[in-house]
Amino acid sequence: MQHLIRTRPFQSDGFSDEKPWPSRVAQAIGTNTVVVTCFSILLAVAIWQLAVSVFAPSPDVLPGPNLVVRSLFDGLIRIPAAQGVMTQAGYIQPTVVTLEITALGFVIGSLLGVVLAAVMAASRAIDRLILPWITGFQSMPIIAFIPLFVIWFGYGLRSQGLVCTLIVIFPITVAGRSGFLSVPDDRRALARAFNASAWRRLRFIVLPSALPYVMTGLELGIVYSLLGAVAAQFLAGNEGLGALIVTYQSADNVAGVFSDLIILALLGLTMHRLMVAAKRKVVFWQES
Amino acid sequence: MEATDRANCVGNGSTSASSNRPAIEVRGLRKFYRASTGHQTVNVLSDIDLDVASGHFLSLVGPSGCGKTTLLNIVAGLTPYERGVVRRLGEPVHGPSLDAAIVFQAPNLVPWRTALDNVLLAAQLAGRRRRDFSERAKALLELVGLAQSMKKYPRQLSGGMQQRVAIARALLLTPDLLLMDEPFGALDALTREQLNLELQRIWSETKCTVIFVTHSISEAVLLSDEIVVMSPGPSSRVAYRTPVALTRPRGLELSASPDFGELVQTVRSHLKI
């Protein structure tokens, strides 16, 4: 019967002296997320540089990492040069503008979304009336409305803010509504058993039960809002990171476009991470 | 003992201790509903007559689907009934009220509150001020043996501990009646035995009237003053009732005694599954 019992070779826990040092180093590196991320970024940049060196594309099509880094540096450290807005611009101000619109759209859209979700969860009539519109609008690209908003409200903050608000409001409403409607029956029975009024039920049972869903919606919403702000700036903006990309594009400054994209990626990543951390704090009782 | 004084079940305005009236009266109760297909009526409970004297511990025993949970929910005021009379403390039942506390099969704690705050949730849901009850909440948690766990969250508590928090929560507003729907059904046998003894101790100190739904005959015999056996559903009725005259306090070793065994056998013989 011995052959039926399979035994695996003894697995080292990483601290043992039995493994040769290269694999131990690799194991130590491999378990640290920050190190791996940095490593993979460096690897990507190296491959990029290699591709540029080997294939030598025109800098107007694919600039190498050195050009992009220079552009980033110029944009972040130096103030707009006398040479004109066309080739160089500071990133600080456009970033601030973009963040403002993103935040504004996010906050207003989230508040309205939660309120709307609460109303829909409270009244089945209203729910039936509004739900098709919500799901309908969610399925279409809100940014397609930008030209219309430009006609109605002109260029600038109002149109952009409206786009962001709309982009955020629909997923938040859907998420919030799910949350409000999915309070476990047992918990509802608990509220009834203690004679809770509608307000007390909302405050102590329904809202906290819906919170995980709402926070998940917010996590998505913040990124959507950024996307909306940038897209709106393409078409309706004279300021901001999106408008800057268009400016670079018309000046054939591809390195500038790349560096702007990097900034946007970092912004999006940071905001998402912040939301995830907030969610973990607020909805502390859930195991992820 | 101070803790038990503060934790005493019977509220100040209660007359049930002094009056002759049973704490719970059920007369000719019928519960049915119309099935969606045609005009078929499905009888759940038919012609239930039940009285529970004040301060008594009554167990409802019966096979699955016999409507014992429904009956408990009707007395609790969570489920409507179609015919008959149901009275709690002399008042007809129209809905839940704070003098009939319910302990469900699942502990039903909210995960975002600590054990202490879960107990206080009862007061807040009922519209009372949290600080008025915080002394009592602590006393009740001590009574159920969770003095060390007041600041813990439900996910840090075992099933048995969570159920004890639920019992403390049910007792917070000094109910006269305690309605328990298989509260220990989801727990392992050893924890169940321990909690049976705890419940007996808590009940003897707080003097509530208890209706206790269970599947387990031995649990019913251990805990109750009276056992009511229900017939299998649908259309259940009271099949058998018997007082349990064993002396209190009752310990686990009682299950080896011949009297205990006889009672269990008698009840079992009336339990048609």
Side-chain angles (χ1 to χ4, degrees):
Chain A
M1 291 282 267
Q2 286 273 339
H3 63 282
L4 291 176
I5 303 167
R6 292 289 189 109
T7 48
R8 291 166 127 224
F10 175 74
Q11 292 223 313
S12 162
D13 60 359
F15 294 97
S16 150
D17 295 321
E18 293 173 14
K19 272 185 158 181
W21 70 263
S23 64
R24 269 190 286 141
V25 169
Q27 190 166 26
I29 292 178
T31 48
N32 185 329
T33 318
V34 175
V35 174
V36 171
T37 310
C38 289
F39 180 69
S40 102
I41 291 176
L42 283 173
L43 189 66
V45 170
I47 293 176
W48 178 7
Q49 180 63 66
L50 193 68
V52 167
S53 311
V54 165
F55 297 107
S58 153
D60 289 342
V61 173
L62 182 67
N66 51 342
L67 292 174
V68 175
V69 171
R70 164 107 50 92
S71 178
L72 261 176
F73 182 75
D74 286 345
L76 288 173
I77 313 293
R78 288 167 52 170
I79 53 178
Q83 285 149 314
V85 179
M86 298 297 278
T87 50
Q88 271 179 334
Y91 281 122
I92 310 293
Q93 206 258 353
T95 303
V96 168
V97 168
T98 308
L99 280 179
E100 275 174 4
I101 299 173
T102 304
L104 195 70
F106 178 65
V107 168
I108 295 182
S110 304
L111 286 174
L112 289 178
V114 170
V115 169
L116 190 58
V119 168
M120 287 172 80
S123 155
R124 200 164 302 175
I126 296 186
D127 189 65
R128 260 187 234 136
L129 211 61
I130 301 187
L131 189 63
W133 292 94
I134 305 278
T135 43
F137 275 116
Q138 236 200 323
S139 324
M140 49 179 309
I142 302 290
I143 54 182
F145 280 89
I146 297 175
L148 183 63
F149 293 158
V150 170
I151 294 175
W152 283 349
F153 308 113
Y155 283 96
L157 249 61
R158 200 181 298 180
S159 301
Q160 296 170 26
L162 190 58
V163 170
C164 286
T165 306
L166 283 180
I167 272 191
V168 168
I169 199 175
F170 296 120
I172 302 281
T173 303
V174 171
R177 175 182 173 275
S178 282
F180 289 130
L181 292 179
S182 68
V183 179
D185 282 337
D186 282 347
R187 249 177 245 166
R188 286 188 199 273
L190 187 67
R192 280 178 64 210
F194 287 109
N195 266 349
S197 67
W199 161 243
R200 292 197 294 266
R201 200 165 52 228
L202 183 72
R203 183 178 159 200
F204 294 117
I205 302 285
V206 176
L207 277 178
S209 296
L211 212 49
Y213 294 77
V214 172
M215 293 304 292
T216 305
L218 292 181
E219 197 186 308
L220 291 173
I222 188 95
V223 175
Y224 287 174
S225 190
L226 180 66
L227 295 179
V230 172
Q233 283 165 3
F234 284 166
L235 298 172
N238 33 22
E239 298 186 281
L241 290 167
L244 202 55
I245 289 189
V246 173
T247 306
Y248 281 148
Q249 174 211 13
S250 50
D252 279 329
N253 184 349
V254 182
V257 174
F258 264 80
S259 56
D260 196 324
L261 290 176
I262 291 178
I263 302 257
L264 282 172
L266 288 175
L267 272 184
L269 206 66
T270 311
M271 289 198 291
H272 182 246
R273 281 284 159 82
L274 283 175
M275 263 337 288
V276 170
K279 176 178 164 186
R280 207 168 288 157
K281 199 97 209 290
V282 170
V283 187
F284 61 87
W285 60 90
Q286 280 205 322
E287 335 276 307
S288 46
Chain B
M1 192 160 78
E2 229 180 61
T4 48
D5 278 349
R6 279 179 281 144
N8 197 306
C9 195
V10 177
N12 286 332
S14 158
T15 54
S16 54
S18 47
S19 82
N20 287 326
R21 225 185 169 142
I24 296 172
E25 295 167 82
V26 178
R27 295 270 181 285
L29 174 68
R30 284 176 62 199
K31 162 106 192 126
F32 52 83
Y33 59 89
R34 299 244 148 70
S36 47
T37 57
H39 302 288
Q40 286 249 308
T41 44
V42 179
N43 268 324
V44 181
L45 298 169
S46 59
D47 239 359
I48 306 276
D49 282 334
L50 199 61
D51 275 356
V52 188
S54 163
H56 263 218
F57 196 116
L58 179 109
S59 284
L60 280 180
V61 179
S64 289
C66 72
K68 46 193 198 295
T69 297
T70 308
L71 178 55
L72 191 82
N73 283 340
I74 288 175
V75 175
L78 292 176
T79 303
Y81 55 98
E82 276 66 43
R83 300 265 189 284
V85 173
V86 181
R87 277 196 270 265
R88 282 194 309 247
L89 305 170
E91 296 299 317
V93 168
H94 291 306
S97 86
L98 298 176
D99 38 80
I102 307 156
V103 179
F104 305 91
Q105 186 170 3
N108 221 354
L109 303 180
V110 298
W112 56 84
R113 285 188 169 217
T114 59
L116 182 63
D117 288 337
N118 257 290
V119 175
L120 286 167
L121 183 62
Q124 291 180 295
L125 283 174
R128 311 289 169 82
R129 281 200 319 202
R130 202 195 135 106
R131 70 189 97 131
D132 293 344
F133 284 87
S134 100
E135 267 292 305
R136 183 170 165 81
K138 291 187 185 142
L140 282 168
L141 280 171
E142 279 173 31
L143 182 65
V144 300
L146 288 176
Q148 306 305 318
S149 307
M150 291 194 200
K151 293 292 186 191
K152 294 206 178 140
Y153 286 93
R155 65 170 185 272
Q156 298 169 295
L157 301 173
S158 69
M161 293 165 89
Q162 289 184 28
Q163 196 58 290
R164 284 191 251 170
V165 176
I167 293 174
R169 179 182 64 196
L171 294 172
L172 184 73
L173 301 172
T174 50
D176 297 301
L177 308 171
L178 198 55
L179 305 170
M180 309 180 84
D181 185 3
E182 297 188 60
F184 310 137
L187 305 171
D188 63 275
L190 293 176
T191 311
R192 200 167 178 166
E193 282 179 347
Q194 284 309 307
L195 288 179
N196 281 339
L197 295 179
E198 297 256 336
L199 181 60
Q200 184 180 206
R201 178 177 60 85
I202 294 166
W203 169 70
S204 64
E205 285 177 7
T206 57
K207 301 174 183 53
C208 311
T209 309
V210 178
I211 298 187
F212 188 87
V213 170
T214 179
H215 272 132
S216 162
I217 304 176
S218 49
E219 189 174 60
V221 174
L222 180 68
L223 291 170
S224 340
D225 294 319
E226 185 175 359
I227 298 180
V228 166
V229 179
M230 300 197 45
S231 64
S235 197
S236 336
R237 33 183 75 240
V238 173
Y240 178 66
R241 49 197 320 157
T242 176
V244 178
L246 304 167
T247 51
R248 290 196 194 268
R250 301 175 191 163
L252 294 174
E253 69 284 352
L254 198 64
S255 56
S257 87
D259 285 338
F260 191 97
E262 259 182 62
L263 259 164
V264 169
Q265 256 319 101
T266 315
V267 171
R268 185 170 291 137
S269 66
H270 285 96
L271 196 67
K272 290 179 187 52
I273 308 174

